[in-house]
Amino acid sequence: MKKSPLTLAVLAMLAAAGSAHAQSNVQVYGLLDVGVESANNQTPTGGNMTRVISGGMNTSRWGLRGSEDLGGGLKAVFNLEGGILMDTGAQDGALFKRQANVGLEGAFGRVVIGRSFTTVYDTVIAFDPMGFAPFYSWATSGPATGPSKYGFTTQYDNIIKYAGSFGDWKIGANYAAGEQTTGAQDSAKVGFSTVYKLGGANLMATWERNNGNTVPATGNRDKNTVWHIGANYETGPVKVWAVLRDYKLVAGKALTDDVDATTTWAGVAYKTNEVTTLTGAIYHVNVKNVAAGKDADPTMYVARYRYALSKRTDLHVTAAYAKAKNGQLTGLSRDDAGYGTSQRGLTVGMQHRF
């Protein structure tokens, strides 16, 4: 059987990982999440659809990560990670779309360079009761239906990222070069995050700015600013979350409206025993800078049942309902548009981690 160049490259990397294990710590890992979703208003005529989905609770992925002890408390680290579409077996985007970086780690923290999740993503994921679930969470972005998702950037190319922990504080920062000949600020991206642990609670704040390119006609560029404040608290079998995100895009083009919205969410999880967890969450987007009576202001309600078959394998059932105001369209998904003023969906799936 003739193998493609991509297949040969993957096989070579796996072989290299095995041979390198004696010199350094290299791990092949992954998460496989597949299930079935049934939802209404999936077509312009309001049709229902039942489909096999990839990623009920988490995006399916595989990767290689490792480290090498350089002495004196210093380590070299790397991470290569790509997405998998479990319903078709296809690769989700570029081979290592999720992560491709190398760096150093020590008492000072960790610095990596390449492609990576943003410091905002690394922070906010712990403050989403649904854990950024593809089905269903609006923590990374709102529903795909409408003029904007009002979300934040999950990954950057050309990133330099720092993360460190000092006592009860965690801090993070990243800068992504725009790599434009028109100036260092064009397409540049920067972000900061901090988390403070206070007993059973964690308090967080983040800020990021994403620049567009300068518009010659105005001399201005798009400026997208997103910040979060939030908290979670855990006591016994109960954990609660509450977060507020503010999103604003100031347009660089003339006669172009700014985009503005505030997203809030809250949730609670209850472990009924060692293997069963019940989670409920509410997400709401307050849409601004639109004509009166045209704001969708969608709200989504989510409930999930999770049963652990083992430490690495879970069954999960999730139900969700989203509704918009003023006759505007909305949907449950941050990736697929809905075609009604409301949408309801149910997923049943299985997740395995290796």
Side-chain angles (χ1 to χ4, degrees), residues 35-124:
V36 177
E37 181 201 34
S38 180
N40 71 334
N41 288 331
Q42 294 273 42
T43 68
T45 56
N48 297 349
M49 183 186 297
T50 299
R51 56 178 176 165
V52 174
I53 58 169
S54 178
M57 290 197 303
N58 298 104
T59 304
S60 298
R61 81 292 299 260
W62 76 282
L64 300 168
R65 61 188 170 205
S67 63
E68 181 186 12
D69 190 349
L70 301 176
L74 187 65
K75 293 192 297 184
V77 296
F78 80 91
N79 197 181
L80 299 170
E81 184 176 295
I84 305 169
L85 299 176
M86 291 293 291
D87 52 333
T88 64
Q91 180 179 298
D92 186 6
L95 177 59
F96 294 122
K97 174 184 174 182
R98 292 174 61 86
Q99 303 242 47
N101 56 72
V102 66
L104 293 173
E105 181 178 308
F108 59 86
R110 172 184 284 221
V111 177
V112 298
I113 185 169
R115 177 172 173 83
S116 178
F117 293 116
T118 68
T119 186
V120 174
Y121 177 99
D122 290 341
T123 300
V124 177

Side-chain angles (χ1 to χ4, degrees), residues 134-157:
F135 300 83
Y136 306 98
S137 168
W138 289 352
T140 55
S141 72
T145 311
S148 175
K149 295 186 179 184
Y150 309 109
F152 66 91
T153 310
T154 58
Q155 293 135 317
Y156 288 152
D157 291 336

Side-chain angles (χ1 to χ4, degrees), residues 162-186:
Y162 169 78
S165 297
F166 305 94
D168 292 328
W169 288 94
K170 292 182 180 180
I171 58 175
N174 57 224
Y175 172 78
E179 300 187 350
Q180 303 296 309
T181 59
T182 51
Q185 292 302 309
D186 277 2

Side-chain angles (χ1 to χ4, degrees), residues 249-307:
L249 172 63
V250 177
K253 294 181 179 179
L255 304 177
T256 302
D257 292 336
D258 297 340
V259 181
D260 195 3
T262 299
T263 302
T264 53
W265 68 83
V268 58
Y270 177 66
K271 291 185 177 181
T272 60
N273 51 48
E274 292 297 320
V275 298
T276 302
T277 303
L278 303 175
T279 305
I282 301 174
Y283 302 84
H284 176 72
V285 183
N286 179 20
V287 179
K288 306 172 185 177
N289 281 31
V290 297
K294 297 294 183 180
D295 48 339
D297 289 351
T299 302
M300 179 169 66
Y301 305 88
V302 189
R304 182 171 69 199
Y305 170 85
R306 180 174 183 172
Y307 183 84

